[in-house]
Amino acid sequence: MTVDVEDYFQVSAFANHISRDSWASLSCRVEMNIDRILALLDEDRTKATFFTLGWIADRYPAMVKRIVASGHELASHGWGHYRVSDQEPHEFRNDIIQSKAILEDIGGQAVLGYRAPSFSIGSHNQWALDLLEEAGYRYSSSIYPIKHDHYGMPEAPRFAYYPRCNNRLLELPITTMRLFKRNIPAGGGGYFRLWPYPVSRWFLQRLNHLEHQSAIFYFHPWEIDHQQPRQKGLSMKTRFRHYYNLHRMEDRVKALTRDFEWDRMDRIFLS
């Protein structure tokens, strides 16, 4: 179980509508939503990995400490939600070192995992995996083996693998289901809000029982917050992707914690 800790105004789809310069002045809702998520997970004693932006940790250190105190793993989501595909190698190196340092300073535990914003590591920037290992990360969850208009590397393996020769950084892809000769998203995000819950449950049960694999699921704090400020001027596609079924998301995540057993990424894949 994983959570990408970012606020509603930081999603990549809003980049052309909300300037980075305005972030600090906007009403933040991430702390309130994280507290709801911590309570939700605690109900079924579920532990998770929280991929956290350095920008968020810098502003809400007490929230980060609550995540760690609740027994969850703290991992990096980069500093300011910059896509890896939009950065030069030296910029990316600085980003992952800076975010790792602040998370470790606040959380008091080693940060071993990294997830690229918008799953923005693919076939054209594999150099990023080498830099992650050099910076001290043990695993990445940044390559999504699907075809998508904003990200994805459909030819990548569906399950844990080592993508670089002479590199011991483990890549942990978000869960997909192989149907009709293509990979179908089955591990969270907007797709989890799109599919009826029984469909998602069937995907995960099939993965566990027939493929004997652990599922990797993700969601965002803003996805349980249907009262977040609504943005104007969005395309129909962006509006649908971001807001569809937000009011059902919290109950669906609760159902997941009842129907399946979950744990932190480091315990499952690095032990």
Side-chain angles (χ1 to χ4, degrees):
M1 177 67 71
T2 70
V3 182
D4 289 0
V5 183
E6 60 194 60
D7 219 329
Y8 67 94
F9 51 80
Q10 296 173 312
V11 300
S12 295
F14 288 175
N16 294 328
H17 302 274
I18 303 175
S19 71
R20 289 180 176 273
D21 293 340
S22 69
W23 282 7
S25 64
L26 294 175
S27 173
C28 290
R29 302 175 65 84
V30 67
E31 189 172 27
M32 170 190 68
N33 291 327
I34 285 294
D35 285 343
R36 289 170 60 190
I37 290 170
L38 291 176
L40 182 159
L41 297 179
D42 190 56
E43 287 181 12
D44 286 291
R45 299 182 180 179
T46 297
K47 301 305 179 187
T49 293
F50 286 71
F51 291 96
T52 305
L53 289 179
W55 191 96
I56 292 290
D58 187 45
R59 284 157 177 77
Y60 300 101
M63 181 193 75
V64 172
K65 291 178 180 179
R66 290 196 296 276
I67 291 172
V68 173
S70 298
H72 303 290
E73 180 191 9
L74 194 61
S76 172
H77 199 31
W79 182 267
H81 212 261
Y82 290 100
R83 294 188 190 206
V84 183
S85 51
D86 292 336
Q87 297 182 75
E88 296 296 327
H90 72 278
E91 295 172 321
F92 179 68
R93 180 187 289 109
N94 291 337
D95 183 281
I96 60 176
I97 290 175
Q98 184 184 19
S99 60
K100 190 175 194 292
I102 193 169
L103 291 170
E104 291 181 338
D105 182 57
I106 295 171
Q109 62 177 222
V111 169
L112 305 177
Y114 170 82
R115 175 171 290 157
S118 300
F119 304 105
S120 51
I121 296 179
S123 57
H124 301 298
N125 57 357
Q126 295 277 291
W127 49 261
L129 302 172
D130 298 327
L131 295 181
L132 284 169
E133 185 183 41
E134 290 176 13
Y137 292 90
R138 294 272 309 279
Y139 72 88
S140 160
S141 183
S142 305
I143 299 174
Y144 204 164
I146 63 169
K147 186 176 182 180
H148 189 278
D149 54 350
H150 293 308
Y151 54 78
M153 185 177 171
E155 70 273 19
R158 292 175 53 227
F159 304 118
Y161 70 105
Y162 293 96
R164 301 285 278 175
C165 295
N166 302 318
N167 185 325
R168 300 308 295 169
L169 184 87
L170 184 65
E171 179 62 35
L172 302 172
I174 299 296
T175 290
T176 57
M177 183 57 56
R178 187 69 179 173
L179 292 173
F180 311 116
K181 297 183 179 181
R182 62 179 296 181
N183 295 340
I184 306 297
Y191 297 100
F192 183 67
R193 290 184 278 113
L194 177 63
W195 311 129
Y197 178 72
V199 173
S200 293
R201 182 177 57 201
W202 180 80
F203 282 160
L204 298 181
Q205 288 173 336
R206 181 183 174 90
L207 185 89
N208 291 162
H209 299 153
L210 296 184
E211 299 193 79
H212 306 291
Q213 294 286 340
S214 296
I216 297 177
F217 182 86
Y218 81 101
F219 68 105
H220 305 87
W222 55 263
E223 287 187 282
I224 66 165
D225 183 11
H226 68 277
Q227 294 182 325
Q228 65 187 265
R230 298 276 172 149
Q231 305 305 307
K232 298 179 180 180
L234 303 177
S235 69
M236 184 178 296
K237 178 190 288 188
T238 297
R239 188 166 58 251
F240 176 80
R241 283 177 171 176
H242 188 87
Y243 296 115
Y244 184 70
N245 270 344
L246 292 183
H247 64 292
R248 292 192 170 100
M249 186 65 176
E250 187 168 1
D251 286 341
R252 290 186 177 187
V253 174
K254 287 181 180 179
L256 277 181
T257 64
R258 291 193 303 267
D259 292 341
F260 300 91
E261 294 182 8
W262 302 93
D263 205 349
R264 301 159 37 143
M265 297 275 270
D266 58 345
R267 289 179 182 163
I268 294 176
F269 296 102
L270 299 184
S271 59

